[in-house]
Amino acid sequence: MSRASLEKRPDEVAAMFDDVAPKYDLTNDLLSLGQTRRWRKIVVEAVGVVPGQRVLDVAAGTGTSSEPYADAGVDVVALDFSLGMLKVGKRRRPDIDFIAGDATALPFADNTFDATTISFGLRNVNEPKKAIAEMLRVTKPGGKLVIAEFSHPTFGPFRTVYTEYLMRALPAIAKRSSSNPTAYSYLAESIRAWPDQDHLAQWISDAGWQRVSYRNLNGGTVALHRGFKAETGVKSDRAGQAGAGTSSS
């Protein structure tokens, strides 16, 4: 069974996700106590696309994050670098356009999508800043970026409990439900090592996204970051944008 390291070599990470693909969605629901569905709904609402528009769902895995767009008549492209995850997704939802690709070198022309989103996948990219810049490149002027990712709880005592859950309970639960439980030790470590909300907001702003803000979910265990691509001809002004307009729920 494959287990990636925190160096996040693309071949290691892809092989690991190939291993967990068959039971990935079930295990995620168990580990999040069913919260993944709520988070997915919040992401879709934040993206805010409508039929006739096109959205890129990066690190889409088996396509559970892409399904709401397809069900609403939105043209969605589900991209992932794990062929195992894509195979499971395509078998379950043949109507969705699944594409194998690297988040740091997206196989699309400039200004292709009305919105680009990535849910719980950015921390598994070996060069996340490059991926954020690539998502800017393929998004149309005026388009939106939405990133959902595990983050840092804002309440100190809860942060300690949460860290203990990640490092002890998460792998133990995965051992009973996952086809590759050792992979979840890496996933727990990657969550703990991921930068906090303000650092990610700064990365997004530095890449050139405008009006960057974030919203904490579940006390900051998850953060939803948003940004907009400047309209054509509008001068970039990133000063003071990162981290603006935070809220929690």
Side-chain angles (χ1 to χ4, degrees), residues 26-236:
L26 171 62
T27 303
N28 278 356
D29 279 343
L30 291 173
L31 293 174
S32 69
L33 304 178
Q35 287 296 296
T36 51
R37 299 178 187 183
R38 172 176 173 262
W39 297 333
R40 197 176 301 133
K41 181 179 179 182
I42 291 172
V43 169
V44 172
E45 291 173 349
V47 171
V49 290
V50 297
Q53 292 185 314
R54 198 176 190 206
V55 60
L56 173 62
D57 188 12
V58 181
T62 63
T64 53
S65 56
S66 307
E67 285 182 309
Y69 305 105
D71 292 343
V74 172
D75 181 10
V76 60
V77 174
L79 179 137
D80 203 279
F81 66 172
S82 166
L83 297 180
M85 298 285 271
L86 294 172
K87 183 178 179 180
V88 171
K90 192 64 177 178
R91 184 169 60 244
R92 191 168 52 83
R93 287 298 299 256
D95 58 312
I96 293 178
D97 188 12
F98 286 89
I99 293 179
D102 182 350
T104 64
L106 295 171
F108 308 105
D110 296 357
N111 307 322
T112 298
F113 298 94
D114 295 285
T116 302
T117 182
I118 181 170
S119 295
F120 308 105
L122 187 61
R123 76 181 190 285
N124 297 314
V125 177
N126 64 331
E127 295 182 88
K129 293 180 181 179
K130 188 174 181 180
I132 294 169
E134 271 291 275
M135 289 187 278
L136 178 71
R137 179 184 65 79
V138 302
T139 303
K140 295 177 182 179
K144 184 185 298 183
L145 170 73
V146 176
I147 299 174
E149 189 53 88
F150 292 108
S151 196
H152 292 228
T154 55
F155 182 54
F158 175 64
R159 188 183 305 123
T160 301
V161 173
Y162 176 66
T163 301
E164 289 297 311
Y165 168 76
L166 284 177
M167 302 312 298
R168 296 185 181 184
L170 188 151
I173 295 172
K175 187 175 182 179
R176 297 186 177 187
S177 60
S178 173
S179 51
N180 180 1
T182 61
Y184 284 84
S185 295
Y186 154 78
L187 292 173
E189 292 167 6
S190 70
I191 294 171
R192 186 173 65 172
W194 186 245
D196 65 16
Q197 292 90 324
D198 288 332
H199 278 88
L200 179 54
Q202 191 63 57
W203 287 2
I204 297 168
S205 180
D206 288 345
W209 293 94
Q210 306 293 296
R211 292 184 283 151
V212 177
S213 63
Y214 65 81
R215 171 187 176 187
N216 285 317
L217 306 176
N218 293 72
T221 57
V222 170
L224 189 77
H225 284 72
R226 294 195 298 180
F228 295 83
K229 185 169 181 175
E231 297 279 1
T232 302
V234 176
K235 184 178 179 181
S236 174

